[in-house]
Amino acid sequence: MRYGPAVRRRKLGAELRRQRELAGLTSLEAARAVGWHQSKVSRIETGASGVKPADVARLLDAYGVTDPELRALLGALCGAGSPVPGEGAGARRGWWYAYRDRLPPAYLDFISLESEASRLSTLETTVVPGLLQTPAYARAVTRAALGDPAPEQVEELVRVRMARQAVLRGKQPLEVCAVLDEAVLRHEVGGPEVMAGQLRHLVETGSLGHVRLHVLPFSSGGHIGITGPFVIFSFPRIADLDVVVLDHLTSSLYLERKEDLRAYGAAFTTLREHALSHENSLEFIAGINDGA
C-alpha cells in the first residue's frame, strides 16, 4: 500500500523510461540530451525523487513525444494541477489548481487522477459516489463527514464536488460503472426531500450511455464487497497506470501492484455479476423513490 504521491512517482518514472526506450536512447544519452547527470534520469525513472513538470517536458521533447493526450496524462502524474508544458490539453492547468492551498493533497491527487482516467469502476456501500451527487446531497454528506464545519467550508467543498462532475460531460466523457449497495439508496441523507432529489438524479444520470449503475439489493446477502468501498481508475492506452484507491477517515491508500489490481478487478466483476442489471437497477431506484 502506498500513498498517492509515491504511486505517481513510480508510475510516471516507469512511463518515462518506456518512452526513452521507444526513442532508442540509453539513460546516459537521455541525460546528455537535456544537460543532466545520468543519476537524475535514473532517480526519476525509479520514482526515487519527484520531478517538476518542466523537467518532464524536457524529457518528452528529447524523446520526440508530441501526443497532447499523453503529455496531459503525464502532467497529471507530476502532481495535482501541475501540467506538462506543451501544446494541447497538457498545457492547461487543472481547474483544481486554484484550490491547491485549501484542499488536502490526497484529495487533489484523487481529483487529478479522476480527470485523466478513461474509466472509473467503484463499489459504494454507504453514500452515493461524488460524481453522481446532487448539490443538496453533497452538502448534507459534507456536513455529516466534517462534524461541525463552517458554512463557507461546506460550500467550497460542494463547489469542488460539482466541478468534478465535468468529467461526465464533453467529447470523451469518463466512463463510470458503479455498484451500489442498497444501503446507499436507503440512507436518508439530508432528509426525505433531499434523498428523493438524489434518487431522481441517479435515474437521470443512469440514462447517459457512459454511466452504468448496478444495485446490490439486501436480498443478495453477503458479498465480497462487504469489507468496504473502493475505486479503480483505468487510463487510456497505458494499462500499467491503473490504480485502486481505498478511502479512510483521515487518508487515502493507493494500491498499484499487479496482484492487487487483479484482485480488485476480479472482485468488481463478481460484484457486478451478483448485482441487478443496469436497467433493473434504474427501475429499482425509481421504485424506492416511489415508496415501493
Side-chain angles (χ1 to χ4, degrees):
M1 293 184 181
R2 297 178 180 272
Y3 289 96
V7 173
R8 288 178 174 283
R9 288 197 302 269
R10 285 169 59 98
K11 291 182 177 295
L12 175 60
E15 182 57 26
L16 287 173
R17 182 175 63 250
R18 192 175 79 89
Q19 292 301 323
R20 173 177 60 76
E21 292 171 349
L22 288 174
L25 298 175
T26 66
S27 60
L28 178 59
E29 290 169 336
R32 286 174 175 170
V34 295
W36 297 344
H37 290 294
Q38 183 181 10
S39 61
K40 181 173 181 177
V41 174
S42 297
R43 288 197 305 273
I44 290 172
E45 291 185 352
T46 59
S49 64
V51 57
K52 297 178 181 179
D55 286 343
V56 172
R58 291 177 69 182
L59 290 173
L60 294 179
D61 289 342
Y63 304 157
V65 177
T66 58
D67 185 332
E69 290 187 6
L70 180 57
R71 294 179 76 105
L73 178 54
L74 297 184
L77 291 177
C78 273
S82 300
V84 168
E87 297 299 322
R92 298 192 299 272
R93 288 191 185 277
W95 59 265
W96 59 90
Y97 187 79
Y99 296 92
R100 66 193 182 281
D101 297 325
R102 303 195 297 279
L103 295 177
Y107 190 26
L108 289 170
D109 263 351
F110 186 91
I111 293 173
S112 57
L113 285 174
E114 184 179 73
S115 72
E116 295 298 338
S118 58
R119 181 179 175 84
L120 180 153
S121 304
T122 182
L123 165 70
E124 281 293 350
T125 57
T126 54
V127 297
V128 172
L131 290 180
L132 307 178
Q133 293 178 5
T134 65
Y137 184 95
R139 196 169 290 114
V141 166
T142 301
R143 289 197 191 102
L146 298 184
D148 187 24
E152 56 270 22
Q153 182 184 12
V154 172
E155 292 309 311
E156 181 170 69
L157 290 173
V158 171
R159 284 196 297 273
V160 169
R161 186 154 298 182
M162 295 303 105
R164 282 173 50 197
Q165 296 179 6
V167 297
L168 299 179
R169 303 183 291 274
K171 294 181 179 179
Q172 293 181 312
L174 176 68
E175 293 182 14
V176 174
C177 185
V179 174
L180 308 177
D181 191 279
E182 185 176 344
V184 172
L185 311 173
R186 297 289 184 182
H187 285 301
E188 284 197 351
V189 176
E193 185 175 345
V194 169
M195 198 63 203
Q198 178 61 69
L199 294 178
R200 286 194 299 272
H201 182 68
L202 280 176
V203 174
E204 293 167 0
T205 308
S207 66
L208 300 175
H210 53 279
V211 176
R212 309 292 291 178
L213 304 179
H214 298 274
V215 175
L216 271 171
F218 290 145
S219 59
S220 63
H223 51 75
I224 197 169
I226 205 165
T227 55
F230 59 85
V231 175
I232 304 174
F233 285 120
S234 301
F235 293 88
R237 301 164 45 193
I238 309 175
D240 285 346
L241 296 183
D242 291 1
V243 62
V244 176
V245 183
L246 307 178
D247 270 335
H248 296 269
L249 183 61
T250 57
S251 65
S252 297
L253 290 175
Y254 292 66
L255 308 182
E256 60 169 330
R257 297 184 309 168
K258 290 183 179 180
E259 51 266 44
D260 291 326
L261 292 169
R262 282 196 297 267
Y264 276 87
F268 189 79
T269 298
T270 298
L271 288 165
R272 193 177 57 203
E273 290 173 349
H274 282 80
L276 300 177
S277 68
H278 173 68
E279 294 73 17
N280 289 343
S281 292
L282 295 185
E283 292 180 7
F284 189 90
I285 295 169
I288 292 177
N289 211 19
D290 291 339

